[in-house]
Amino acid sequence: MSVKLSLSGVRKSFGANEVCRGIDLDVAEGEMVCLIGASGSGKSTLLRCMNLLEPIDDGTIHLDGVDISEPGLDPQPVRQKIGIVFQSYNLFPHMTATENVMLAPRRVRGLSRDALRPRVTELFTRFGLKERMEHYPDQLSGGQQQRVAIIRALAMEPEIMLFDEITSALDPELVGEVLDVLRDLHRQGMTMVLATHEMGFARELADKVCFLDAGRILEQGPPDTLFTAPQEERTKAFLARVI
């Protein structure tokens, strides 16, 4: 598989706090990479650096071999290619689910409602929400709102999807329906990077798991290897605590 996204020596600080400390990571086309680690280990910041929501301080990020981390580069075209979904749904409460999903493609890509409707309807249908398209966010469950947030990102037709702890705000019984969406995307070959606390999901579906500790990728590899025979003492201690 060809490398889709490549990070080399990526560093990011907020004031005196260095959150990413020289991170190297290759994400292959169609690969699902899961980032695991304690809160504060740098997972969310790393995702935000990947689609240029946070400018990096040092290192490079390449998308399809092109350096997207050059200072002064317009981030908007990159963000169209690299979608991101957060743990908070960030849906506009005064808009229906359909209006929330259509907003970015209409504004950024200049598409009309009529042009978007077939694609948007197909996405809602695919994720079991066709009957909820004209509902407002407060008429939807947390799991349904999170699925709408995923559909909103997919409506931009990204090449890579980033997910930041998207199940952490959900009731336990709603987690499964969101993870099913990720399973579906993985089957269809979407390139994905997830920060997650769902170890069972990472073990089942990830192609590669990266354990982050204090802003570094301490260990990475196939889930079978990392979960059953971790090499680093910090990885062993973390897994013993969460599994």
Side-chain angles (χ1 to χ4, degrees), residues 98 101-102 105-106 111-127 130 133-134 151 154-155 157:
T98 298
V101 167
M102 286 187 174
R106 287 179 61 216
L111 298 172
S112 69
R113 282 189 178 91
D114 288 345
L116 282 165
R117 189 159 291 279
R119 163 78 174 155
V120 168
T121 302
E122 184 265 325
L123 285 168
F124 274 95
T125 303
R126 191 164 116 201
F127 296 125
K130 189 179 181 185
M133 289 178 67
E134 301 311 319
I151 291 169
L154 291 173
E157 301 187 358

Side-chain angles (χ1 to χ4, degrees), residues 62 139 161 173 227:
H62 286 81
Q139 298 172 309
M161 284 290 292
E173 66 267 25
F227 283 109

Side-chain angles (χ1 to χ4, degrees), residues 11-52:
R11 293 182 176 274
K12 176 65 184 177
S13 297
F14 297 99
N17 181 23
E18 191 173 24
V19 182
C20 295
R21 304 182 179 192
I23 287 183
D24 300 323
L25 175 64
D26 286 342
V27 181
E29 182 124 29
E31 191 173 41
M32 178 189 279
V33 176
C34 284
L35 310 177
I36 64 171
S39 296
S41 58
K43 303 186 299 295
S44 295
T45 299
L46 182 58
L47 290 178
R48 293 172 67 88
C49 288
M50 285 180 186
N51 85 333
L52 310 187

Side-chain angles (χ1 to χ4, degrees), residues 31 36 79 88 132 155 174 181 198 201 209 213 218 236:
E31 191 173 41
I36 64 171
R79 291 182 194 146
S88 54
R132 300 283 188 272
L174 300 176
V181 170
E198 300 289 339
F201 179 81
V209 178
D213 182 59
L218 208 56
K236 292 175 186 175

